[in-house]
Amino acid sequence: MFCQETEINPLLKDKFYFEAGVFFPAKNIKLGADGSTPNDQINFGNTFNLDDNQATYFFNFEWRWNRKWRLAVETFGINNAAKAELKQDIQFKDLTFEKGSFVRGGFELSLYRIFVGRILSSGPKHSLGVGLGVHALNMGVFIEGEVLTNFDDYEFQKRRVSALLPLPNIGGWYHWAPTPKWAFVARVDWFGITIGKYGGGLWDLAPGVKYQIVKNFGVGIDYRYFFLNARVDETNWQGKFNMSFSGPVLSIHGNF
């Protein structure tokens, strides 16, 4: 009698994994900058109606260089702006944009995640691991519009702040593949310490479902929740912010 070899989902065994998709995040963005009181943060999401879902790119690459270790690189970006009539005064850096004025505000973020993990437990249908990584956030915010001068006249002004935040984190993942076609995945990253000019907390959660159409190609749907609460002490930005992005990711993947 011959023992039939168990067919393993490619997600659990292949060396290279590429993923590209579209992320539809709802956004909540609050921040303070030079000139704002310590507890006064501008809610960019509500003020400029940036909370609505917006389609953006999403890429992920994983390399399992041996049975126990893997490297993951991921990125997505947000970039949008809108005009609004202010319902209250906004103080941003050294300017005050008065209630009732029409201004334009924008937010941009590029996130890069690099993660090195080690598998703790694996089998024909599962993989569990932990590791260390870094979330590098390149972000900027601006407000522009007419400002009242000392001569009781109005002139156009623009103020922008930006920062590059490298935030280390610990994380873990679990993959369960009950069949060669279907796989259920979950991942969590966490950060909550103060390092030099930066301090705060980070959560990055990513549960999802993958379906293998053929041997080297599949599709997936995930849910992403990203939350960051931090203070910044840079030359161009002294203040704090908290923001969250959450929504579905539709993706295709290749593996070999």
Side-chain angles (χ1 to χ4, degrees):
M1 179 181 293
F2 294 96
C3 180
Q4 185 177 3
E5 183 178 355
T6 302
E7 189 176 357
I8 301 176
N9 191 299
L11 186 69
L12 300 179
K13 66 176 183 177
D14 282 359
K15 187 174 183 179
F16 296 102
Y17 179 85
F18 300 87
E19 186 177 20
V22 183
F23 182 26
F24 301 90
K27 305 173 288 294
N28 190 328
I29 305 164
K30 299 178 182 178
L31 62 90
D34 310 338
S36 299
T37 61
N39 295 318
D40 181 22
Q41 295 192 85
I42 303 169
N43 191 325
F44 265 69
N46 287 340
T47 302
F48 299 103
N49 194 29
L50 302 182
D51 289 349
D52 293 339
N53 290 59
Q54 173 203 9
T56 185
Y57 66 87
F58 170 86
F59 295 106
N60 180 37
F61 166 72
E62 296 181 14
W63 172 36
R64 291 103 174 199
W65 71 81
N66 65 29
R67 294 181 60 187
K68 290 294 185 180
W69 292 93
R70 59 189 264 181
L71 169 70
V73 179
E74 178 184 309
T75 182
F76 73 84
I78 303 290
N79 188 343
N80 62 332
K83 294 181 179 180
E85 180 182 0
L86 296 182
K87 298 179 181 179
Q88 60 184 12
D89 291 355
I90 286 183
Q91 187 176 1
F92 192 64
K93 297 200 74 174
D94 58 342
L95 288 180
T96 298
F97 296 90
E98 295 183 335
K99 175 183 177 181
S101 59
F102 288 90
V103 298
R104 183 172 179 264
F107 174 83
E108 56 192 36
L109 166 73
S110 296
L111 181 144
Y112 306 92
R113 173 184 178 265
I114 302 174
F115 185 84
V116 177
R118 188 180 192 278
I119 295 176
L120 300 179
S121 174
S122 63
K125 294 186 177 182
H126 81 281
S127 172
L128 171 68
V130 297
L132 300 173
V134 62
H135 281 67
L137 290 84
N138 187 8
M139 58 183 297
V141 184
F142 73 88
I143 299 179
E144 61 185 21
E146 299 293 329
V147 177
L148 183 64
T149 69
N150 294 330
F151 303 99
D152 291 330
D153 194 8
Y154 286 89
E155 66 179 15
F156 180 84
Q157 293 282 350
K158 179 177 181 177
R159 292 294 184 270
R160 186 180 188 277
V161 295
S162 61
L164 175 62
L165 283 69
L167 303 176
N169 62 269
I170 60 174
W173 77 88
Y174 182 73
H175 295 169
W176 178 53
T179 75
K181 291 289 188 181
W182 290 96
F184 300 88
V185 301
R187 194 201 79 209
V188 58
D189 292 329
W190 175 81
F191 161 87
I193 57 178
T194 298
I195 298 179
K197 300 178 180 180
Y198 316 110
L202 174 149
W203 284 99
D204 189 354
L205 310 176
V209 179
K210 309 295 183 183
Y211 180 73
Q212 200 73 20
I213 299 175
V214 294
K215 180 181 178 181
N216 300 109
F217 177 78
V219 296
I221 180 169
D222 301 76
Y223 183 84
R224 293 296 305 273
Y225 174 78
F226 177 81
F227 171 79
L228 177 65
N229 184 333
R231 66 165 180 81
V232 185
D233 187 15
E234 288 277 18
T235 302
N236 190 42
W237 188 347
Q238 294 183 357
K240 61 180 181 178
F241 61 86
N242 65 69
M243 59 185 181
S244 65
F245 306 95
S246 59
V249 178
L250 304 179
S251 63
I252 59 175
H253 64 261
N255 49 272
F256 60 93

